Amino acid sequence: MYNSKIIGVGHYVPDNIVTNDDLAKIIDTNDEWIQERTGIKERRWAKEEDKETTFTMGLEAAKRAIKNSGLDKDDIDFIIFATLSPDYYFPGPGVQIQEALDIGTVGALDVRNQCSGFVYAVSVADQFIKTGMYKNILVIGSELQSHGIDKTTRGRNISVIFGDGAGAVVLSREEDLSKGILSTHLHSEGKHALELATEAPGMGTRWVTDIIEENNPDDLSYFPYMNGQFVFKHAVARFSEVIIEGLVKNNLPKEAIDLLIPHQANLRISQFIQKKFGLSDDQVFNNIQKYGNTTAASIPIALSEAWEEGRIKDGDVVVLAAFGSGFTWGSVIIKW
Ligand code: COA
């Protein structure tokens, strides 16, 4: 048995900054409402002419993570790519990364767990490394939200929240079992699947041809839908539960947390968790103010920025926690 350890982090966000005031020009909203309810000041939305996609952003983040790990691209044994906004309906972007990095025919797995995608992906990578099957795994979370949201007043409860970007990590075999990823916990509750979802196109519901045929301007099924307050209530409860689950598993008191990196869903959710666990501002990392919610990319972007800012030191207990569509949620406890 081995442990897995994050040995390289990297992130990439598009240059184009969209402020709340910019949104107020196209949507009936305002900076005060957005900041008060979500904490978001601005987000990145890739410009159409820059031809950035979930794959291209993920690739850039991956290159930075590999460089940062000190490994060569050819040392990567396996790729895991988490996203809800793939370039193609199928195949997923994992294979695009394999091709672009030119790393032989290593396996590429796509994870579809939305805001929990990165935590799920890390958990899968951890199991592969623990059993000895793979030694170095590239895990990517990347999202291009801006092309798929309703940027009108009709969709304002969603469109002001979501942003584009990518983050990646390299996980590697660690022989010292007191270091690296100590545990991961994953959960789901599918009865709430449609409380936060994009329903169409789906093979089991309505395919693209049906949508075209119906030509219904009021059809919103291909835009994300979110029952905001319902999601909020579940998020705060599940974040707490799954962090506690991880701490208990490792006999760690909440005071042992050096840095909590929650999925960046809403600053109010992070602040609720911070208060509940009695953590100081130094112990919780938030960057939703700059990027909005980048779903599967939010934790790896935050992890990469926290690392760059020197907020993570050897031996620190770092906790990752996510909640999102599905509902799905999970946590990762790391001894850095
Ligand atoms: N600008 C201005 N007003 C807006 C708005 C916007 N962008 N979006 C919604 N509103 C309006 C609503 O129309 C509503 O108006 P009404 O009272 O006249 O009907 C009012 O603001 C309150 O809307 P509501 O949806 O109840 O707001 P809220 O306090 O629940 O905040 C969210 C909305 C989305 C910020 C909040 O519910 C949330 O963060 N939920 C969790 C989201 C989340 O974590 N998602 C990802 C999980 S991974």
Side-chain angles (χ1 to χ4, degrees):
M1 279 289 280
Y2 304 100
N3 264 9
S4 74
K5 189 173 181 335
I6 295 174
I7 60 162
V9 293
H11 71 281
Y12 172 84
V13 291
D15 290 337
N16 187 41
I17 297 173
V18 178
T19 65
N20 294 342
D21 287 337
D22 291 333
L23 288 184
K25 289 177 198 147
I26 53 168
I27 296 172
D28 180 11
T29 188
N30 58 76
D31 179 50
E32 194 192 348
W33 191 97
I34 300 172
Q35 283 211 48
E36 200 183 291
R37 308 280 174 132
T38 70
I40 300 166
K41 296 183 177 164
E42 58 190 41
R43 73 286 294 138
R44 305 296 175 102
W45 280 0
K47 275 190 172 160
E48 205 115 333
E49 59 265 34
D50 291 340
K51 304 225 177 316
E52 289 182 305
T53 69
T54 291
F55 154 63
T56 66
M57 293 189 290
L59 177 64
E60 193 50 46
K63 284 180 177 168
R64 292 175 188 188
I66 294 170
K67 184 165 184 233
N68 190 251
S69 73
L71 295 182
D72 186 81
K73 67 178 177 62
D74 292 313
D75 296 324
I76 301 296
D77 295 316
F78 195 66
I79 298 162
I80 307 182
F81 200 123
T83 189
L84 62 72
S85 50
D87 290 20
Y88 310 122
Y89 191 81
F90 73 86
V95 296
Q96 293 172 275
I97 296 291
Q98 177 276 328
E99 164 69 6
L101 287 179
D102 186 22
I103 45 176
T105 57
V106 301
L109 172 74
D110 296 289
V111 167
R112 297 199 46 175
N113 285 81
Q114 299 69 247
C115 297
S116 309
F118 184 75
V119 162
Y120 266 73
V122 164
S123 179
V124 173
D126 181 48
Q127 312 313 311
F128 275 138
I129 289 175
K130 274 198 164 79
T131 58
M133 180 153 173
Y134 297 120
K135 199 168 170 199
N136 303 307
I137 301 182
L138 174 62
V139 180
I140 302 167
S142 178
E143 302 286 4
L144 183 72
Q145 308 275 6
S146 59
H147 286 202
I149 48 183
D150 181 2
K151 292 181 209 141
T152 68
T153 297
R154 196 177 56 181
R156 66 183 177 177
N157 72 320
I158 293 261
S159 52
V160 303
I161 294 180
F162 291 96
D164 302 338
V169 301
V170 176
L171 269 98
S172 190
R173 181 184 292 174
E174 168 61 60
E175 300 202 356
D176 180 346
L177 298 186
S178 68
K179 283 191 189 149
I181 293 180
L182 303 181
S183 69
T184 61
H185 292 90
L186 306 176
H187 294 279
S188 74
E189 194 174 25
K191 72 177 172 191
H192 302 311
L194 296 184
E195 301 295 347
L196 176 51
T198 301
E199 283 190 47
M203 304 290 185
T205 51
R206 292 163 62 252
W207 187 237
V208 183
T209 42
D210 301 310
I211 294 169
I212 294 168
E213 204 173 306
E214 288 162 26
N215 191 22
N216 174 6
D218 297 322
D219 180 9
L220 300 181
S221 61
Y222 43 85
F223 287 127
Y225 164 80
M226 177 171 70
N227 184 350
Q229 292 192 9
F230 187 82
V231 172
F232 193 101
K233 280 183 206 139
H234 283 257
V236 290
R238 297 308 193 183
F239 266 114
S240 304
E241 269 175 37
V242 81
I243 294 168
I244 290 169
E245 189 179 9
L247 293 174
V248 168
K249 167 83 182 169
N250 294 289
N251 286 321
L252 292 169
K254 56 188 186 336
E255 295 74 27
I257 298 175
D258 291 299
L259 192 64
L260 168 65
I261 303 184
H263 161 56
Q264 304 290 294
N266 184 320
L267 191 60
R268 283 160 56 213
I269 296 178
S270 293
Q271 286 165 341
F272 180 93
I273 305 298
Q274 175 174 346
K275 200 164 163 209
K276 175 152 188 192
F277 284 83
L279 303 174
S280 67
D281 290 349
D282 287 350
Q283 288 168 289
V284 184
F285 191 86
N286 290 304
N287 62 5
I288 190 169
Q289 300 92 330
K290 294 190 291 180
Y291 303 128
N293 179 346
T294 57
T295 47
S298 98
I299 291 181
I301 294 174
L303 190 58
S304 175
E305 284 199 334
W307 186 84
E308 279 178 2
E309 289 173 22
R311 302 251 322 247
I312 305 176
K313 298 176 297 302
D314 264 1
D316 277 359
V317 172
V318 178
V319 177
L320 315 180
F323 175 88
S325 160
F327 293 153
T328 56
W329 61 100
S331 66
V332 180
I333 310 282
I334 305 168
K335 180 88 169 166
W336 201 267

